[in-house]
């Protein structure tokens, strides 16, 4: 059983060995996380060639060499050659996180199937047992948590900052956070208007409580 985490990769180097479709999926996921990507491959998919031409990733057009892993925080072996993937795993230094796409037993971590809705990230992993099942569950979650969750979570972040700044009472904050997280609030749609109303009520309650104690 693994330990689920969300890695902060912004500004960290990720080396992907391979330039095929699997490597492309891994690279796009790493780009979403803000990693600085170096791809090692003698050939690459057109979309990856385009990313290299645009300077989005660094492409070392060559076969893998152990020195290619120098400075990497995270390493993904994504070729269709088991011998190359094994060589990548063996070349990794202590402390480097390694994923070998065709060999779960050689992985320090597994890349889950992911649903992203703005700040919301939902990850599904079967520990490498069945990526197909993970993808099926991801599709179900995509239907359950629609695109509206992106702007909704962004609104909640703004609202949370306002509550923490303007509401001193701890219980009052909890009441507001529970109200904002309710499905009925999300489905209402008029988030700013409803929040302003709830905030006013909570401030009045807080003010009345202070007056009653004077």
């Amino acid at each position: 059983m693994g330990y689920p985490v969300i890695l902060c990769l912004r500004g960290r180097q990720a080396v992907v060995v391979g330039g095929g479709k699997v490597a492309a999926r891994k690279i796009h996921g790493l780009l979403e996380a803000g990693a600085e990507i170096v791809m090692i491959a003698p050939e690459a998919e057109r979309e990856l060639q385009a990313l290299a031409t645009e300077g989005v990733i660094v492409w070392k057009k060559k076969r893998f060499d152990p020195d290619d892993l120098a400075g990497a925080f995270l390493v993904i072996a994504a070729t269709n050659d088991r011998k190359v993937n094994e060589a990548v795993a063996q070349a990794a230094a202590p402390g480097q996180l390694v994923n070998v796409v065709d060999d779960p037993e050689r992985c320090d971590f597994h890349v889950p199937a992911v649903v992203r809705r703005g700040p919301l990230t939902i990850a599904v992993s079967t520990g490498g047992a069945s990526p197909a099942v993970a993808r099926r569950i991801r599709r179900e979650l995509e239907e359950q948590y629609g695109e509206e969750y992106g702007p909704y979570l962004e609104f909640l972040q703004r609202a949370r900052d306002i509550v923490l700044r303007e509401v001193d009472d701890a219980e009052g904050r909890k009441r507001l956070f529970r109200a904002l997280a309710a499905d009925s609030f999300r489905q209402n749609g008029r988030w700013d208007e409803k929040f302003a109303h709830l905030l006013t009520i909570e401030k009045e309650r807080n003010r009345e409580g202070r007056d009653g104690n004077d």
Side-chain angles (χ1 to χ4, degrees):
M1 180 66 68
Y3 184 70
V5 298
I6 301 294
L7 284 176
C8 296
L9 297 180
R10 187 163 302 280
R12 293 180 181 270
Q13 186 183 102
V15 172
V16 178
V17 182
K21 295 185 183 300
V22 174
R25 290 200 301 271
K26 305 300 183 184
I27 285 172
H28 284 298
L30 291 168
L31 285 174
E32 287 184 345
E36 296 180 355
I37 300 168
V38 178
M39 178 177 67
I40 312 297
E43 303 293 337
E45 294 285 314
R46 287 185 178 180
E47 61 180 304
L48 296 177
Q49 294 180 32
L51 290 176
T53 299
E54 296 166 4
V56 177
I57 66 174
V58 174
W59 179 19
K60 294 186 178 180
K61 194 174 181 180
K62 60 187 287 294
R63 295 186 179 280
F64 172 72
D65 182 273
D67 291 340
D68 293 326
L69 302 187
F73 173 75
L74 182 147
V75 177
I76 296 181
T79 79
N80 57 6
D81 188 326
R82 282 182 172 268
K83 291 183 178 179
V84 174
N85 290 347
E86 176 63 21
V88 174
Q90 292 184 3
Q96 289 181 321
L97 299 177
V98 180
N99 176 271
V100 181
V101 296
D102 61 353
D103 190 353
E105 297 300 319
R106 298 288 282 164
C107 296
D108 294 318
F109 67 97
H110 301 287
V111 180
V114 174
V115 177
R116 294 189 189 278
R117 298 289 186 255
L120 176 65
T121 299
I122 305 173
V124 180
S125 174
T126 61
S130 178
V133 169
R135 288 193 294 271
R136 176 179 60 77
I137 295 173
R138 180 193 64 194
R139 289 193 295 270
E140 294 171 358
L141 289 169
E142 285 175 336
E143 294 179 3
Q144 183 175 355
Y145 297 93
E147 296 291 344
E148 75 276 7
Y149 271 86
Y152 172 56
L153 266 294
E154 291 169 357
F155 161 79
L156 288 182
Q157 181 62 67
R158 297 194 303 272
R160 179 179 178 81
D161 292 340
I162 293 171
V163 171
L164 292 175
R165 184 173 63 248
E166 298 188 13
V167 179
D168 296 328
D169 179 55
E171 289 302 316
R173 291 177 177 178
K174 290 180 182 178
R175 279 191 294 268
L176 280 170
F177 292 149
R178 284 195 297 268
L180 297 177
D183 272 346
S184 58
F185 180 92
R186 176 181 58 81
Q187 294 166 358
N188 179 273
R190 300 190 303 274
W191 302 328
D192 289 289
E193 177 185 333
K194 184 65 174 176
F195 170 55
H197 177 66
L198 292 172
L199 184 62
T200 298
I201 292 174
E202 197 56 56
K203 286 182 176 180
E204 290 177 353
R205 180 186 286 122
N206 195 15
R207 185 163 48 249
E208 290 171 359
R210 288 198 303 268
D211 292 343
N213 291 329
D214 290 342

